Amino acid sequence: MATDSRIAQTFSTLRRIAALAAPYFRSEEKWRARTMLIGIVALNLAYVYALVLFNQWYGRFYDALQNKDAGIFWREVGVFGWLAFANIAIQVLKFYVTQLLELRWRAWMTRSYLSRWMADRTFYHLELARYAQDDGRTPDNPDQRIQEDMQMFTDSTMTLSMGLLNAVVTLVSFVGILWGLSGNFDFTLGGTTYQVAGAMVWLAVVYCVVGTVITHFIGRPLIGLNFRQQRFEADFRHHLVRVREYSEAIALDHGEKVERGQLDLRFGAVLRNYLQLIKQQKNLVTFTAFFGQAAVIFPFIVAAPRFFSGAIQLGQLMQISSAFGKVQDSLSWFVDNYDRVAVWRATTDRLTSFDDAMRAHAARAQQLDRDGAAPALQTGDLAVALPNGTPLLAGAALAVKPGDSVLLQGPSGSGKSTLFRTFAGIWPFARGHVKVPEGAVFMPQRPYVPDGTLRNALAYPNPAENYSDTELRQALVDALLPDLVNRLDDSDVWSQKLSGGEQQRLSIARVLLKKPSWLFADEITSALDAEAEGVLYKRLSDRVKAAGGAMVSIAHRAAVGDFHNQRWTLVPQADDAPAGSARYRLETSVSPAAA
């Protein structure tokens, strides 16, 4: 049963590898890819043929030495030159075409995975699932899988598959040569003499089978260790990036010691796993080195009696050694490449789990019926939950018509931002019906400010070419950022250069630039002083009203209520509420300012 399970697991792995590799060779680049692959296979066959010619050359060359035949010796030196030149040309061309195919394959896979990862907000939903469940099944560090694992997968797949092809073709080509050179092996057992034809072939098979079995048992733990090593390395790198991104906040909080502890913790996991990896690799290298060295002298020991008896000449002895070496190398392909196969297997597992997660996301039924081209905001039987399934809100029926302005309030953690994400259509843990006006703009509390020129950061996500310099500068002035009007073409890390308040004002400048009619704002002035908040909220409110739309805001400051005529409040349910019911209910009222 254990053997059947391992066989099934092997076939399952091969199916996953095929599922990862096949799409490229069926893509729009299929003819170029297939042509290059066929060329690589042909070059590998030519390389093996060159090895066969070299083996034949060994017999003629060493016989000439033994016979002291200078004429044949110098002729064979010339033949060697041509063989060497052809062999070098084949290897160089094979290297170039293989690398070119790997490059194109990786580029196609990367573009394909990036498209799927960025489509339908998959990148966001996978992160939510990972932090909500953290059960080891949700893929970690997708950036590392797209950047590093794909490079390793394409490289290892080409190297190992072509290596295996070489091993098979070499075995087929040389096993006949070795069989013909081996002669018969006679031995007596129980008074009866037995004769074994092709003894060297059988010895090579036994030698390599024993070596393969031992190698598998020694190296089997490497697969899991390599999988974990890639994850630990990615986690360590990810935290380094977070320290860089939040350097100011960490410095102000004097959090260097804590972050150093976190980095040490992650790096410690890297080192501990790597130490186990080294120990397993040491055992594997010890055996494979012994196995390889023994294979050098083994054919000479076996064939020496025939040579000393005069049954074969020096050239045949060298041919036997060369042929045995090629057969042994072919049969030992698994032994020689076990470490790389382990890394390849780990890489494949990481990519297939990532691929499975994206497929599962794409296949998941959409529970929320969202219309993004409605004339007004309207919800029906809306239910919102946390990623762990805890219900926040149930049966909500909300409506906002043009000309309204709504302030959403409630205790921290009550789900205000989650409700906004539901309106935006990015929250996957909601069901019901939502209608949202076309072109509505959603503003997060912490805006994303890309690196590069200021004009690109201001126009984001639209192309900066859509706006004139006059429009860009006026938006900065209206958002109370006059000091930046002459820096449109400056390139910088703006998320580090601008303060939190400046980043929020830059986000408001984007909205003023785009002139949306419907605006959803989540604590967009939390880092501003009261005076700046009042000025900017009035400008936003005036722009939205002038466009015939509406504004829905989340804010804690009472002064923001002056710019809204309605109020939605998330109120905790009573302690005696039935188990499994929503934690909050939504109450609507007229804003005191409007009253």
Side-chain angles (χ1 to χ4, degrees):
M1 293 296 293
T3 302
D4 292 342
S5 176
R6 284 196 291 270
I7 292 174
Q9 187 177 17
T10 300
F11 278 108
S12 175
T13 299
L14 292 176
R15 283 195 298 270
R16 292 199 301 269
I17 292 170
L20 287 174
Y24 174 61
F25 295 93
R26 295 196 298 258
S27 70
E28 67 282 0
E29 298 184 19
K30 60 184 177 183
W31 295 117
R32 175 181 290 175
R34 293 173 184 178
T35 300
M36 295 175 72
L37 182 60
I38 292 172
I40 294 169
V41 171
L43 289 168
N44 276 276
L45 295 178
Y47 174 72
V48 174
Y49 180 65
L51 295 180
V52 172
L53 295 179
F54 269 116
N55 181 268
Q56 296 172 354
W57 177 86
Y58 285 140
R60 299 191 302 269
F61 182 76
Y62 283 102
D63 280 348
L65 284 176
Q66 185 178 23
N67 298 330
K68 298 181 180 179
D69 190 330
I72 295 178
F73 172 84
W74 290 112
R75 185 191 70 188
E76 293 304 321
V77 169
V79 171
F80 176 83
W82 285 108
L83 288 176
F85 176 79
N87 191 42
I88 292 170
I90 290 170
Q91 291 191 62
V92 170
L93 188 57
K94 182 180 71 170
F95 168 81
Y96 176 74
V97 178
T98 301
Q99 293 297 311
L100 193 59
L101 178 57
E102 286 180 20
L103 178 65
R104 293 185 179 278
W105 189 4
R106 179 192 177 188
W108 185 89
M109 282 191 70
T110 301
R111 288 193 295 265
S112 174
Y113 273 68
L114 282 176
S115 296
R116 293 168 58 197
W117 185 52
M118 298 298 292
D120 298 325
R121 301 177 179 88
T122 302
F123 63 95
Y124 174 66
H125 293 163
L126 290 183
E127 287 300 305
L128 283 178
R130 181 191 173 200
Y131 288 113
Q133 300 168 14
D134 197 21
D135 53 5
R137 291 179 294 178
T138 304
D140 60 276
N141 302 296
D143 53 312
Q144 186 251 1
R145 301 192 185 208
I146 293 174
Q147 182 268 323
E148 182 179 316
D149 287 349
M150 286 187 186
Q151 187 275 327
M152 294 175 65
F153 174 76
T154 54
D155 174 67
S156 296
T157 301
M158 287 301 302
T159 301
L160 293 173
S161 60
M162 290 301 106
L164 181 58
L165 173 66
N166 269 358
V168 172
V169 175
T170 301
L171 177 62
V172 172
S173 301
F174 280 90
V175 73
I177 297 174
L178 183 60
W179 186 282
L181 293 170
S182 296
N184 298 322
F185 177 71
D186 299 329
F187 66 94
T188 301
L189 183 63
T192 304
T193 300
Y194 297 92
Q195 189 177 77
V196 179
M200 294 295 292
V201 174
W202 298 114
L203 287 172
V205 170
V206 172
Y207 185 84
C208 294
V209 166
V210 172
T212 299
V213 171
I214 295 174
T215 299
H216 176 63
F217 281 103
I218 294 175
R220 186 165 50 182
L222 289 173
I223 297 173
L225 289 170
N226 276 295
F227 185 96
R228 290 190 293 274
Q229 187 66 28
Q230 292 176 24
R231 178 175 182 175
F232 292 148
E233 294 279 7
D235 286 342
F236 178 55
R237 183 172 61 244
H238 176 70
H239 201 78
L240 287 171
V241 172
R242 285 183 60 83
V243 170
R244 189 185 70 189
E245 289 180 346
Y246 293 91
S247 57
E248 182 179 5
I250 294 170
L252 290 173
D253 286 336
H254 300 288
E256 297 89 345
K257 186 176 181 180
V258 175
E259 295 307 316
R260 175 58 188 270
Q262 289 295 319
L263 289 171
D264 286 344
L265 183 66
R266 286 163 172 77
F267 190 56
V270 170
L271 293 181
R272 284 191 298 274
N273 193 79
Y274 195 62
L275 182 59
Q276 296 181 52
L277 196 60
I278 290 174
K279 290 179 179 177
Q280 289 296 329
Q281 287 175 327
K282 178 198 68 175
N283 296 336
L284 185 62
V285 168
T286 300
F287 175 74
T288 54
F290 170 80
F291 184 81
Q293 288 298 311
V296 174
I297 198 66
F298 185 76
F300 288 104
I301 294 174
V302 176
R306 296 180 63 210
F307 173 72
F308 290 123
S309 69
I312 59 174
Q313 291 189 307
L314 179 62
Q316 289 177 292
L317 178 63
M318 298 306 296
Q319 276 189 282
I320 290 173
S321 173
S322 173
F324 182 90
K326 297 304 179 187
V327 171
Q328 182 266 329
D329 286 343
S330 301
L331 293 172
S332 302
W333 179 87
F334 188 71
V335 175
D336 298 334
N337 290 277
Y338 196 95
D339 191 23
R340 187 156 193 168
V341 169
V343 175
W344 182 50
R345 168 74 181 275
T347 300
T348 300
D349 288 345
R350 287 177 59 79
L351 280 179
T352 50
S353 64
F354 184 39
D355 187 73
D356 290 344
M358 291 196 292
R359 289 181 187 277
H361 169 75
R364 187 183 298 120
Q366 182 66 37
Q367 295 178 311
L368 186 68
D369 179 18
R370 185 177 184 274
D371 179 3
L377 173 68
Q378 186 175 359
T379 71
D381 196 25
L382 181 63
V384 182
L386 294 174
N388 61 9
T390 302
L392 284 176
L393 193 65
L398 306 170
V400 179
K401 62 182 184 298
D404 287 343
S405 53
V406 180
L407 178 64
L408 175 60
Q409 293 185 313
S412 297
S414 59
K416 300 184 295 297
S417 297
T418 302
L419 185 58
F420 263 39
R421 296 178 188 122
T422 302
F423 292 159
I426 69 172
W427 190 252
F429 311 104
R431 65 178 185 273
H433 308 280
V434 174
K435 294 182 178 180
V436 180
E438 185 175 7
V441 170
F442 292 82
M443 301 177 65
Q445 178 179 356
R446 185 187 175 199
Y448 171 64
V449 183
D451 299 342
T453 63
L454 180 61
R455 69 169 66 244
N456 287 332
L458 176 57
Y460 182 86
N462 297 332
E465 294 76 18
N466 289 4
Y467 308 99
S468 67
D469 284 5
T470 301
E471 290 176 307
L472 295 170
R473 291 191 177 101
Q474 187 59 51
L476 290 172
V477 171
D478 291 344
L480 307 182
L481 291 170
D483 294 341
L484 298 179
V485 294
N486 295 320
R487 301 187 62 187
L488 289 176
D489 293 313
D490 288 2
S491 291
D492 215 325
V493 183
W494 296 105
S495 59
Q496 299 289 331
K497 284 287 186 178
L498 301 179
S499 67
E502 287 174 325
Q503 291 182 48
Q504 288 189 336
R505 278 180 277 168
L506 183 66
S507 177
I508 293 172
R510 288 177 186 165
V511 175
L512 296 174
L513 186 66
K514 296 172 180 61
K515 302 180 177 65
S517 56
W518 282 76
L519 181 63
F520 295 79
D522 184 1
E523 292 280 3
I524 60 170
T525 57
S526 59
L528 301 182
D529 60 85
E531 182 180 356
E533 180 181 61
V535 171
L536 293 177
Y537 245 106
K538 185 176 187 312
R539 287 178 180 171
L540 290 172
S541 179
D542 291 345
R543 291 285 177 91
V544 169
K545 289 179 181 178
M551 179 167 64
V552 181
S553 301
I554 295 175
H556 288 97
R557 293 178 182 173
V560 176
D562 296 340
F563 302 97
H564 301 82
N565 57 25
Q566 295 183 44
R567 180 168 296 179
W568 296 347
T569 306
L570 286 167
V571 179
Q573 294 279 29
D575 294 338
D576 59 352
S581 60
R583 294 171 57 183
Y584 295 89
R585 68 179 188 276
L586 192 62
E587 296 182 352
T588 61
S589 62
V590 177
S591 173

